[in-house]
Amino acid sequence: MENVAKPIAVGLLGLGTVGSGVVKIIENHQDQLIHQVGCPVVVKKILVRDVYKERDVQVNTSLLTTRADEVINDPEIDVIIEVMGGIEETRRHLLQALQQGKHVVTANKDLMALYGSELLATATENGCDLFYEASVAGGIPILRSLVEGLASDRITKMMGIVNGTTNFILTKMCKYGMPYEQVLAEAQALGYAEADPSADVEGLDAARKMAILARLGFSMNIDLEDVQVKGITDITEEDLDYSKRLGYTMKLIGIAHRDGDKAEVSVQPTLLPDSHPLASVSDEYNAVYVYGEAVGETMFYGPGAGSLPTATAVVSDLVAVMKNMRLGVNGRSAVAPQYEKRLKSRSEIFSKYFVRIHVKDEVGAFAKITAIFAEQGVSFEKILQLPLKEKGLAEIVIVTHRASQQAYEDILQRLRDLEIVHQVKSSYRVEGNGN
Ligand SMILES: NC(=O)c1ccc[n+]([C@@H]2O[C@H](COP(=O)([O-])OP(=O)(O)OC[C@H]3O[C@@H](n4cnc5c(N)ncnc54)[C@H](OP(=O)(O)O)[C@@H]3O)[C@@H](O)[C@H]2O)c1
């Protein structure tokens, strides 16, 4: 029989998808928790909006309350687990909890991307832990891998498929040639996409996660507004068809890259060579590829959402809090960023690019286009030129060698101004194979 100490009392804010999973894991894995931390874990109070709602998990209704202060101000509660979502109200709850010396575990990327610095500083001031593993890539233990597993390395690049909804949509569009609207409707019917999918499909959700990853990985105060964002809503079947023909897979990729002391962070549809490890991450799965100067390439793969996968990350954070409580070292792990924030300018961000252009099908058109690229010193890696059904027009598809964002955007502007150019149809970043 193990020497079991007094239980640790936990208060939950929220009992939805993730909260139900948290209650199940705490109940089902109690023996394992006792073995790891030396005492039982008891859920003492749970904040919900509606105490009479039918739920996925059975809990004693006397635990439920609609009053946040009954959870946050309960002197017996040591740890607050926030799985209610939302930003301003939740921020107030967590600040209040931390100021009262309660440790906090949260799955809330929206909150951490916007107010992470403030909340972490408050945690440190009050000797509290604030852990948020589940906020990025659900069940994948990526944050702890960055700050512990790779603590001795210098991380220079992170590339992530960190939004399951868009990965599901793009996988279906690529595999079955289905149009965006049809796949989105299917994703909504299956519960992979929200009724209002804009935060996912416009890239904001992924941008929040990349801000959190870049802040931790580069130890720099990267803010959400530092992330360049483009979503997937403009991707057409033609773009996917060409990318396939050229040996690429289209993914919504978050990229955080640092050269020397400067960083860039973006989320955008990106063409990856079919051989790239992220190209085979399909459906609603997530993955984060991390490059460290010493370790080289590593990749973390798994479920990015879902009740039990996300709850696993939440309860693992709870275990970390409890281990710190036993050692009396809470509040020491929220290390302030080591480096001053320095962002790359557009002339310092380099990539290959894919561009698809409709031009008038006349003699000399191609030469005029290549001249614009040549003037900016940008050369081609791949070119396709095909006649179009539309009379008098041809389609040109180019993949460039590496070019600065500044040079490339200047080229796009000059192409749009060119009389023989009917339309620049689409343009994407191309990654992998040496860049
Ligand atoms: N779902 C995932 O797979 C996943 C993955 C990673 C991270 N997350 C994050 O985890 C958090 C929770 O997500 P979820 O999917 O579990 O959400 P959810 O299913 O909508 O559950 C939210 C819970 O919080 C309660 N709640 C919300 N606002 C409240 C308020 N103002 N006052 C009192 N109770 C309130 C709700 O009460 P009622 O039940 O009474 O309505 C519900 O129990 C979010 O920050 C989300 O971004 C979710």
PDB file of all heavy atoms in Angstrom, residues 13-19 47-51 53 55 66 82-86 89 107-110 134-135 138 304-307 310, ligand 1:
ATOM      1  N   LEU A  13     -13.306  24.977 -14.540  1.00  0.00           N
ATOM      2  CA  LEU A  13     -14.137  25.989 -15.196  1.00  0.00           C
ATOM      3  C   LEU A  13     -14.512  25.392 -16.542  1.00  0.00           C
ATOM      4  O   LEU A  13     -13.690  25.364 -17.458  1.00  0.00           O
ATOM      5  CB  LEU A  13     -13.361  27.298 -15.379  1.00  0.00           C
ATOM      6  CG  LEU A  13     -12.725  27.928 -14.130  1.00  0.00           C
ATOM      7  CD1 LEU A  13     -12.032  29.247 -14.482  1.00  0.00           C
ATOM      8  CD2 LEU A  13     -13.779  28.168 -13.044  1.00  0.00           C
ATOM      9  N   GLY A  14     -15.726  24.831 -16.647  1.00  0.00           N
ATOM     10  CA  GLY A  14     -16.178  24.221 -17.896  1.00  0.00           C
ATOM     11  C   GLY A  14     -16.266  22.711 -17.786  1.00  0.00           C
ATOM     12  O   GLY A  14     -15.398  22.068 -17.193  1.00  0.00           O
ATOM     13  N   LEU A  15     -17.361  22.172 -18.375  1.00  0.00           N
ATOM     14  CA  LEU A  15     -17.554  20.710 -18.398  1.00  0.00           C
ATOM     15  C   LEU A  15     -18.137  20.314 -19.757  1.00  0.00           C
ATOM     16  O   LEU A  15     -19.120  19.617 -19.863  1.00  0.00           O
ATOM     17  CB  LEU A  15     -18.486  20.290 -17.253  1.00  0.00           C
ATOM     18  CG  LEU A  15     -18.665  18.795 -17.011  1.00  0.00           C
ATOM     19  CD1 LEU A  15     -17.362  18.112 -16.653  1.00  0.00           C
ATOM     20  CD2 LEU A  15     -19.705  18.551 -15.917  1.00  0.00           C
ATOM     21  N   GLY A  16     -17.476  20.833 -20.812  1.00  0.00           N
ATOM     22  CA  GLY A  16     -17.916  20.501 -22.174  1.00  0.00           C
ATOM     23  C   GLY A  16     -17.072  19.364 -22.714  1.00  0.00           C
ATOM     24  O   GLY A  16     -16.768  18.402 -21.997  1.00  0.00           O
ATOM     25  N   THR A  17     -16.662  19.478 -23.987  1.00  0.00           N
ATOM     26  CA  THR A  17     -15.894  18.406 -24.640  1.00  0.00           C
ATOM     27  C   THR A  17     -14.642  18.077 -23.833  1.00  0.00           C
ATOM     28  O   THR A  17     -14.400  16.924 -23.466  1.00  0.00           O
ATOM     29  CB  THR A  17     -15.502  18.867 -26.064  1.00  0.00           C
ATOM     30  OG1 THR A  17     -16.686  19.266 -26.742  1.00  0.00           O
ATOM     31  CG2 THR A  17     -14.820  17.773 -26.831  1.00  0.00           C
ATOM     32  N   VAL A  18     -13.822  19.080 -23.548  1.00  0.00           N
ATOM     33  CA  VAL A  18     -12.549  18.818 -22.863  1.00  0.00           C
ATOM     34  C   VAL A  18     -12.777  18.549 -21.369  1.00  0.00           C
ATOM     35  O   VAL A  18     -12.200  17.611 -20.798  1.00  0.00           O
ATOM     36  CB  VAL A  18     -11.560  19.993 -23.060  1.00  0.00           C
ATOM     37  CG1 VAL A  18     -10.216  19.665 -22.411  1.00  0.00           C
ATOM     38  CG2 VAL A  18     -11.356  20.303 -24.541  1.00  0.00           C
ATOM     39  N   GLY A  19     -13.644  19.352 -20.744  1.00  0.00           N
ATOM     40  CA  GLY A  19     -13.893  19.194 -19.304  1.00  0.00           C
ATOM     41  C   GLY A  19     -14.379  17.785 -18.971  1.00  0.00           C
ATOM     42  O   GLY A  19     -13.927  17.175 -17.992  1.00  0.00           O
ATOM     43  N   LEU A  47     -17.618  24.869 -12.730  1.00  0.00           N
ATOM     44  CA  LEU A  47     -18.425  25.966 -13.271  1.00  0.00           C
ATOM     45  C   LEU A  47     -19.010  25.559 -14.620  1.00  0.00           C
ATOM     46  O   LEU A  47     -18.292  25.093 -15.497  1.00  0.00           O
ATOM     47  CB  LEU A  47     -17.543  27.216 -13.456  1.00  0.00           C
ATOM     48  CG  LEU A  47     -18.227  28.405 -14.141  1.00  0.00           C
ATOM     49  CD1 LEU A  47     -19.255  29.054 -13.210  1.00  0.00           C
ATOM     50  CD2 LEU A  47     -17.214  29.442 -14.608  1.00  0.00           C
ATOM     51  N   VAL A  48     -20.323  25.755 -14.776  1.00  0.00           N
ATOM     52  CA  VAL A  48     -20.988  25.518 -16.069  1.00  0.00           C
ATOM     53  C   VAL A  48     -21.983  26.663 -16.305  1.00  0.00           C
ATOM     54  O   VAL A  48     -22.230  27.470 -15.410  1.00  0.00           O
ATOM     55  CB  VAL A  48     -21.758  24.164 -16.091  1.00  0.00           C
ATOM     56  CG1 VAL A  48     -20.818  22.982 -16.082  1.00  0.00           C
ATOM     57  CG2 VAL A  48     -22.740  24.084 -14.928  1.00  0.00           C
ATOM     58  N   ARG A  49     -22.552  26.695 -17.509  1.00  0.00           N
ATOM     59  CA  ARG A  49     -23.593  27.696 -17.775  1.00  0.00           C
ATOM     60  C   ARG A  49     -24.945  27.170 -17.346  1.00  0.00           C
ATOM     61  O   ARG A  49     -25.791  27.914 -16.884  1.00  0.00           O
ATOM     62  CB  ARG A  49     -23.619  28.002 -19.285  1.00  0.00           C
ATOM     63  CG  ARG A  49     -22.894  29.280 -19.641  1.00  0.00           C
ATOM     64  CD  ARG A  49     -23.076  29.605 -21.104  1.00  0.00           C
ATOM     65  NE  ARG A  49     -22.645  28.512 -21.942  1.00  0.00           N
ATOM     66  CZ  ARG A  49     -21.804  28.645 -22.955  1.00  0.00           C
ATOM     67  NH1 ARG A  49     -21.315  29.834 -23.249  1.00  0.00           N
ATOM     68  NH2 ARG A  49     -21.460  27.617 -23.693  1.00  0.00           N
ATOM     69  N   ASP A  50     -25.143  25.840 -17.524  1.00  0.00           N
ATOM     70  CA  ASP A  50     -26.458  25.255 -17.272  1.00  0.00           C
ATOM     71  C   ASP A  50     -26.286  23.975 -16.448  1.00  0.00           C
ATOM     72  O   ASP A  50     -25.798  22.957 -16.959  1.00  0.00           O
ATOM     73  CB  ASP A  50     -27.103  24.958 -18.650  1.00  0.00           C
ATOM     74  CG  ASP A  50     -28.426  24.221 -18.514  1.00  0.00           C
ATOM     75  OD1 ASP A  50     -28.878  23.999 -17.370  1.00  0.00           O
ATOM     76  OD2 ASP A  50     -28.993  23.858 -19.563  1.00  0.00           O
ATOM     77  N   VAL A  51     -26.695  24.023 -15.189  1.00  0.00           N
ATOM     78  CA  VAL A  51     -26.473  22.867 -14.308  1.00  0.00           C
ATOM     79  C   VAL A  51     -27.396  21.681 -14.657  1.00  0.00           C
ATOM     80  O   VAL A  51     -27.131  20.562 -14.242  1.00  0.00           O
ATOM     81  CB  VAL A  51     -26.651  23.222 -12.804  1.00  0.00           C
ATOM     82  CG1 VAL A  51     -25.552  24.112 -12.317  1.00  0.00           C
ATOM     83  CG2 VAL A  51     -28.000  23.827 -12.524  1.00  0.00           C
ATOM     84  N   LYS A  53     -28.156  20.626 -17.745  1.00  0.00           N
ATOM     85  CA  LYS A  53     -27.858  20.066 -19.072  1.00  0.00           C
ATOM     86  C   LYS A  53     -27.422  18.599 -18.965  1.00  0.00           C
ATOM     87  O   LYS A  53     -26.738  18.222 -18.010  1.00  0.00           O
ATOM     88  CB  LYS A  53     -26.717  20.899 -19.650  1.00  0.00           C
ATOM     89  CG  LYS A  53     -26.363  20.660 -21.068  1.00  0.00           C
ATOM     90  CD  LYS A  53     -25.434  21.819 -21.479  1.00  0.00           C
ATOM     91  CE  LYS A  53     -24.613  21.516 -22.671  1.00  0.00           C
ATOM     92  NZ  LYS A  53     -23.733  22.646 -22.983  1.00  0.00           N
ATOM     93  N   ARG A  55     -25.091  15.558 -19.850  1.00  0.00           N
ATOM     94  CA  ARG A  55     -23.663  15.606 -20.147  1.00  0.00           C
ATOM     95  C   ARG A  55     -23.100  14.242 -20.519  1.00  0.00           C
ATOM     96  O   ARG A  55     -23.691  13.218 -20.191  1.00  0.00           O
ATOM     97  CB  ARG A  55     -22.889  16.173 -18.947  1.00  0.00           C
ATOM     98  CG  ARG A  55     -23.385  17.558 -18.625  1.00  0.00           C
ATOM     99  CD  ARG A  55     -22.594  18.315 -17.631  1.00  0.00           C
ATOM    100  NE  ARG A  55     -23.239  19.610 -17.456  1.00  0.00           N
ATOM    101  CZ  ARG A  55     -22.964  20.682 -18.163  1.00  0.00           C
ATOM    102  NH1 ARG A  55     -22.021  20.642 -19.080  1.00  0.00           N
ATOM    103  NH2 ARG A  55     -23.603  21.805 -17.962  1.00  0.00           N
ATOM    104  N   THR A  66     -23.113  27.735 -11.284  1.00  0.00           N
ATOM    105  CA  THR A  66     -23.034  28.742 -12.350  1.00  0.00           C
ATOM    106  C   THR A  66     -22.298  29.978 -11.844  1.00  0.00           C
ATOM    107  O   THR A  66     -22.228  30.974 -12.544  1.00  0.00           O
ATOM    108  CB  THR A  66     -24.455  29.140 -12.830  1.00  0.00           C
ATOM    109  OG1 THR A  66     -25.205  29.551 -11.678  1.00  0.00           O
ATOM    110  CG2 THR A  66     -25.154  27.989 -13.528  1.00  0.00           C
ATOM    111  N   GLU A  82      -8.956  25.408 -16.423  1.00  0.00           N
ATOM    112  CA  GLU A  82      -9.857  26.238 -17.231  1.00  0.00           C
ATOM    113  C   GLU A  82     -10.075  25.585 -18.592  1.00  0.00           C
ATOM    114  O   GLU A  82      -9.162  25.542 -19.427  1.00  0.00           O
ATOM    115  CB  GLU A  82      -9.252  27.643 -17.386  1.00  0.00           C
ATOM    116  CG  GLU A  82     -10.164  28.616 -18.102  1.00  0.00           C
ATOM    117  CD  GLU A  82     -10.090  28.555 -19.613  1.00  0.00           C
ATOM    118  OE1 GLU A  82      -9.005  28.782 -20.156  1.00  0.00           O
ATOM    119  OE2 GLU A  82     -11.140  28.271 -20.247  1.00  0.00           O
ATOM    120  N   VAL A  83     -11.301  25.084 -18.804  1.00  0.00           N
ATOM    121  CA  VAL A  83     -11.666  24.477 -20.084  1.00  0.00           C
ATOM    122  C   VAL A  83     -13.049  24.996 -20.499  1.00  0.00           C
ATOM    123  O   VAL A  83     -13.898  24.246 -20.963  1.00  0.00           O
ATOM    124  CB  VAL A  83     -11.646  22.923 -19.999  1.00  0.00           C
ATOM    125  CG1 VAL A  83     -10.239  22.394 -20.103  1.00  0.00           C
ATOM    126  CG2 VAL A  83     -12.304  22.412 -18.721  1.00  0.00           C
ATOM    127  N   MET A  84     -13.241  26.314 -20.288  1.00  0.00           N
ATOM    128  CA  MET A  84     -14.532  26.911 -20.670  1.00  0.00           C
ATOM    129  C   MET A  84     -14.407  27.712 -21.973  1.00  0.00           C
ATOM    130  O   MET A  84     -15.402  27.992 -22.639  1.00  0.00           O
ATOM    131  CB  MET A  84     -15.089  27.792 -19.551  1.00  0.00           C
ATOM    132  CG  MET A  84     -14.239  28.982 -19.167  1.00  0.00           C
ATOM    133  SD  MET A  84     -14.934  29.905 -17.758  1.00  0.00           S
ATOM    134  CE  MET A  84     -15.882  31.168 -18.596  1.00  0.00           C
ATOM    135  N   GLY A  85     -13.189  28.108 -22.359  1.00  0.00           N
ATOM    136  CA  GLY A  85     -13.006  28.919 -23.560  1.00  0.00           C
ATOM    137  C   GLY A  85     -13.369  30.370 -23.290  1.00  0.00           C
ATOM    138  O   GLY A  85     -13.685  30.753 -22.155  1.00  0.00           O
ATOM    139  N   GLY A  86     -13.322  31.199 -24.353  1.00  0.00           N
ATOM    140  CA  GLY A  86     -13.623  32.618 -24.196  1.00  0.00           C
ATOM    141  C   GLY A  86     -12.369  33.384 -23.778  1.00  0.00           C
ATOM    142  O   GLY A  86     -11.361  32.776 -23.385  1.00  0.00           O
ATOM    143  N   GLU A  89     -13.758  37.386 -20.043  1.00  0.00           N
ATOM    144  CA  GLU A  89     -14.277  36.887 -18.765  1.00  0.00           C
ATOM    145  C   GLU A  89     -13.305  35.850 -18.175  1.00  0.00           C
ATOM    146  O   GLU A  89     -13.006  35.872 -16.974  1.00  0.00           O
ATOM    147  CB  GLU A  89     -15.653  36.239 -19.007  1.00  0.00           C
ATOM    148  CG  GLU A  89     -16.308  35.717 -17.763  1.00  0.00           C
ATOM    149  CD  GLU A  89     -17.574  34.888 -18.065  1.00  0.00           C
ATOM    150  OE1 GLU A  89     -18.076  34.912 -19.201  1.00  0.00           O
ATOM    151  OE2 GLU A  89     -18.036  34.199 -17.137  1.00  0.00           O
ATOM    152  N   ALA A 107      -6.530  25.132 -21.447  1.00  0.00           N
ATOM    153  CA  ALA A 107      -6.436  24.589 -22.813  1.00  0.00           C
ATOM    154  C   ALA A 107      -6.726  25.705 -23.818  1.00  0.00           C
ATOM    155  O   ALA A 107      -6.952  25.445 -24.992  1.00  0.00           O
ATOM    156  CB  ALA A 107      -7.467  23.470 -22.980  1.00  0.00           C
ATOM    157  N   ASN A 108      -6.702  26.956 -23.344  1.00  0.00           N
ATOM    158  CA  ASN A 108      -7.296  28.062 -24.092  1.00  0.00           C
ATOM    159  C   ASN A 108      -6.260  28.836 -24.917  1.00  0.00           C
ATOM    160  O   ASN A 108      -5.586  29.729 -24.412  1.00  0.00           O
ATOM    161  CB  ASN A 108      -7.957  28.984 -23.049  1.00  0.00           C
ATOM    162  CG  ASN A 108      -8.858  30.010 -23.654  1.00  0.00           C
ATOM    163  OD1 ASN A 108      -8.632  30.454 -24.777  1.00  0.00           O
ATOM    164  ND2 ASN A 108      -9.875  30.406 -22.910  1.00  0.00           N
ATOM    165  N   LYS A 109      -6.165  28.487 -26.219  1.00  0.00           N
ATOM    166  CA  LYS A 109      -5.140  29.151 -27.058  1.00  0.00           C
ATOM    167  C   LYS A 109      -5.507  30.598 -27.359  1.00  0.00           C
ATOM    168  O   LYS A 109      -4.630  31.452 -27.493  1.00  0.00           O
ATOM    169  CB  LYS A 109      -4.903  28.405 -28.362  1.00  0.00           C
ATOM    170  CG  LYS A 109      -6.064  28.389 -29.346  1.00  0.00           C
ATOM    171  CD  LYS A 109      -6.632  27.028 -29.478  1.00  0.00           C
ATOM    172  CE  LYS A 109      -7.987  27.012 -30.115  1.00  0.00           C
ATOM    173  NZ  LYS A 109      -8.640  25.711 -29.982  1.00  0.00           N
ATOM    174  N   ASP A 110      -6.817  30.874 -27.460  1.00  0.00           N
ATOM    175  CA  ASP A 110      -7.237  32.245 -27.752  1.00  0.00           C
ATOM    176  C   ASP A 110      -6.739  33.168 -26.640  1.00  0.00           C
ATOM    177  O   ASP A 110      -6.184  34.232 -26.888  1.00  0.00           O
ATOM    178  CB  ASP A 110      -8.770  32.341 -27.832  1.00  0.00           C
ATOM    179  CG  ASP A 110      -9.376  31.288 -28.749  1.00  0.00           C
ATOM    180  OD1 ASP A 110      -8.610  30.464 -29.268  1.00  0.00           O
ATOM    181  OD2 ASP A 110     -10.597  31.291 -28.917  1.00  0.00           O
ATOM    182  N   ALA A 134      -2.321  21.893 -23.605  1.00  0.00           N
ATOM    183  CA  ALA A 134      -3.416  21.527 -24.518  1.00  0.00           C
ATOM    184  C   ALA A 134      -3.790  22.657 -25.475  1.00  0.00           C
ATOM    185  O   ALA A 134      -4.575  22.444 -26.401  1.00  0.00           O
ATOM    186  CB  ALA A 134      -4.647  21.122 -23.712  1.00  0.00           C
ATOM    187  N   SER A 135      -3.221  23.847 -25.271  1.00  0.00           N
ATOM    188  CA  SER A 135      -3.625  24.968 -26.125  1.00  0.00           C
ATOM    189  C   SER A 135      -3.048  24.854 -27.534  1.00  0.00           C
ATOM    190  O   SER A 135      -3.545  25.489 -28.458  1.00  0.00           O
ATOM    191  CB  SER A 135      -3.219  26.301 -25.490  1.00  0.00           C
ATOM    192  OG  SER A 135      -1.814  26.414 -25.448  1.00  0.00           O
ATOM    193  N   GLY A 138      -3.600  20.027 -29.327  1.00  0.00           N
ATOM    194  CA  GLY A 138      -4.366  19.101 -28.478  1.00  0.00           C
ATOM    195  C   GLY A 138      -3.555  18.067 -27.728  1.00  0.00           C
ATOM    196  O   GLY A 138      -2.912  18.373 -26.731  1.00  0.00           O
ATOM    197  N   GLY A 304      -4.969  16.527 -32.810  1.00  0.00           N
ATOM    198  CA  GLY A 304      -4.886  17.937 -32.431  1.00  0.00           C
ATOM    199  C   GLY A 304      -6.069  18.394 -31.604  1.00  0.00           C
ATOM    200  O   GLY A 304      -6.107  19.528 -31.122  1.00  0.00           O
ATOM    201  N   ALA A 305      -7.076  17.533 -31.442  1.00  0.00           N
ATOM    202  CA  ALA A 305      -8.276  17.918 -30.694  1.00  0.00           C
ATOM    203  C   ALA A 305      -8.992  16.658 -30.244  1.00  0.00           C
ATOM    204  O   ALA A 305      -8.464  15.556 -30.390  1.00  0.00           O
ATOM    205  CB  ALA A 305      -9.189  18.774 -31.571  1.00  0.00           C
ATOM    206  N   GLY A 306     -10.194  16.849 -29.689  1.00  0.00           N
ATOM    207  CA  GLY A 306     -10.979  15.709 -29.211  1.00  0.00           C
ATOM    208  C   GLY A 306     -10.943  15.660 -27.699  1.00  0.00           C
ATOM    209  O   GLY A 306      -9.990  16.125 -27.073  1.00  0.00           O
ATOM    210  N   SER A 307     -12.012  15.078 -27.160  1.00  0.00           N
ATOM    211  CA  SER A 307     -12.203  15.117 -25.716  1.00  0.00           C
ATOM    212  C   SER A 307     -11.048  14.474 -24.945  1.00  0.00           C
ATOM    213  O   SER A 307     -10.355  15.140 -24.164  1.00  0.00           O
ATOM    214  CB  SER A 307     -13.523  14.417 -25.383  1.00  0.00           C
ATOM    215  OG  SER A 307     -13.724  14.401 -23.999  1.00  0.00           O
ATOM    216  N   THR A 310      -7.223  15.778 -25.805  1.00  0.00           N
ATOM    217  CA  THR A 310      -6.935  17.102 -25.236  1.00  0.00           C
ATOM    218  C   THR A 310      -6.881  17.020 -23.713  1.00  0.00           C
ATOM    219  O   THR A 310      -6.017  17.636 -23.069  1.00  0.00           O
ATOM    220  CB  THR A 310      -8.013  18.114 -25.692  1.00  0.00           C
ATOM    221  OG1 THR A 310      -8.155  18.007 -27.107  1.00  0.00           O
ATOM    222  CG2 THR A 310      -7.631  19.529 -25.325  1.00  0.00           C
TER     223      THR A 310
HETATM  224  N1  LIG B   1     -12.587  20.644 -28.112  1.00  0.00           N
HETATM  225  C1  LIG B   1     -11.312  20.378 -28.356  1.00  0.00           C
HETATM  226  O1  LIG B   1     -10.974  19.361 -28.953  1.00  0.00           O
HETATM  227  C2  LIG B   1     -10.246  21.327 -27.879  1.00  0.00           C
HETATM  228  C3  LIG B   1      -8.902  21.079 -28.201  1.00  0.00           C
HETATM  229  C4  LIG B   1      -7.897  21.924 -27.727  1.00  0.00           C
HETATM  230  C5  LIG B   1      -8.254  23.024 -26.965  1.00  0.00           C
HETATM  231  N2  LIG B   1      -9.570  23.272 -26.704  1.00  0.00           N
HETATM  232  C6  LIG B   1      -9.904  24.434 -25.893  1.00  0.00           C
HETATM  233  O2  LIG B   1     -10.513  23.990 -24.691  1.00  0.00           O
HETATM  234  C7  LIG B   1     -11.483  24.945 -24.262  1.00  0.00           C
HETATM  235  C8  LIG B   1     -12.830  24.249 -24.060  1.00  0.00           C
HETATM  236  O3  LIG B   1     -13.244  23.706 -25.291  1.00  0.00           O
HETATM  237  P1  LIG B   1     -14.492  22.684 -25.374  1.00  0.00           P
HETATM  238  O4  LIG B   1     -14.490  22.171 -26.764  1.00  0.00           O
HETATM  239  O5  LIG B   1     -14.468  21.725 -24.261  1.00  0.00           O
HETATM  240  O6  LIG B   1     -15.707  23.702 -25.194  1.00  0.00           O
HETATM  241  P2  LIG B   1     -17.250  23.350 -24.915  1.00  0.00           P
HETATM  242  O7  LIG B   1     -17.540  21.937 -25.277  1.00  0.00           O
HETATM  243  O8  LIG B   1     -18.057  24.428 -25.559  1.00  0.00           O
HETATM  244  O9  LIG B   1     -17.384  23.485 -23.331  1.00  0.00           O
HETATM  245  C9  LIG B   1     -17.335  24.707 -22.664  1.00  0.00           C
HETATM  246  C10 LIG B   1     -17.788  24.478 -21.229  1.00  0.00           C
HETATM  247  O10 LIG B   1     -17.613  25.687 -20.500  1.00  0.00           O
HETATM  248  C11 LIG B   1     -18.862  26.098 -19.927  1.00  0.00           C
HETATM  249  N3  LIG B   1     -18.915  27.557 -20.103  1.00  0.00           N
HETATM  250  C12 LIG B   1     -18.588  28.270 -21.205  1.00  0.00           C
HETATM  251  N4  LIG B   1     -18.734  29.581 -20.982  1.00  0.00           N
HETATM  252  C13 LIG B   1     -19.168  29.708 -19.716  1.00  0.00           C
HETATM  253  C14 LIG B   1     -19.497  30.811 -18.898  1.00  0.00           C
HETATM  254  N5  LIG B   1     -19.422  32.051 -19.374  1.00  0.00           N
HETATM  255  N6  LIG B   1     -19.877  30.570 -17.623  1.00  0.00           N
HETATM  256  C15 LIG B   1     -19.979  29.306 -17.155  1.00  0.00           C
HETATM  257  N7  LIG B   1     -19.651  28.214 -17.879  1.00  0.00           N
HETATM  258  C16 LIG B   1     -19.255  28.417 -19.143  1.00  0.00           C
HETATM  259  C17 LIG B   1     -19.954  25.385 -20.703  1.00  0.00           C
HETATM  260  O11 LIG B   1     -21.064  25.190 -19.837  1.00  0.00           O
HETATM  261  P3  LIG B   1     -22.377  24.394 -20.321  1.00  0.00           P
HETATM  262  O12 LIG B   1     -21.922  22.976 -20.544  1.00  0.00           O
HETATM  263  O13 LIG B   1     -23.341  24.495 -19.213  1.00  0.00           O
HETATM  264  O14 LIG B   1     -22.838  25.038 -21.586  1.00  0.00           O
HETATM  265  C18 LIG B   1     -19.255  24.085 -21.084  1.00  0.00           C
HETATM  266  O15 LIG B   1     -19.386  23.139 -20.070  1.00  0.00           O
HETATM  267  C19 LIG B   1     -11.474  26.059 -25.289  1.00  0.00           C
HETATM  268  O16 LIG B   1     -10.596  27.071 -24.883  1.00  0.00           O
HETATM  269  C20 LIG B   1     -10.916  25.354 -26.530  1.00  0.00           C
HETATM  270  O17 LIG B   1     -10.268  26.247 -27.432  1.00  0.00           O
HETATM  271  C21 LIG B   1     -10.567  22.456 -27.134  1.00  0.00           C
END
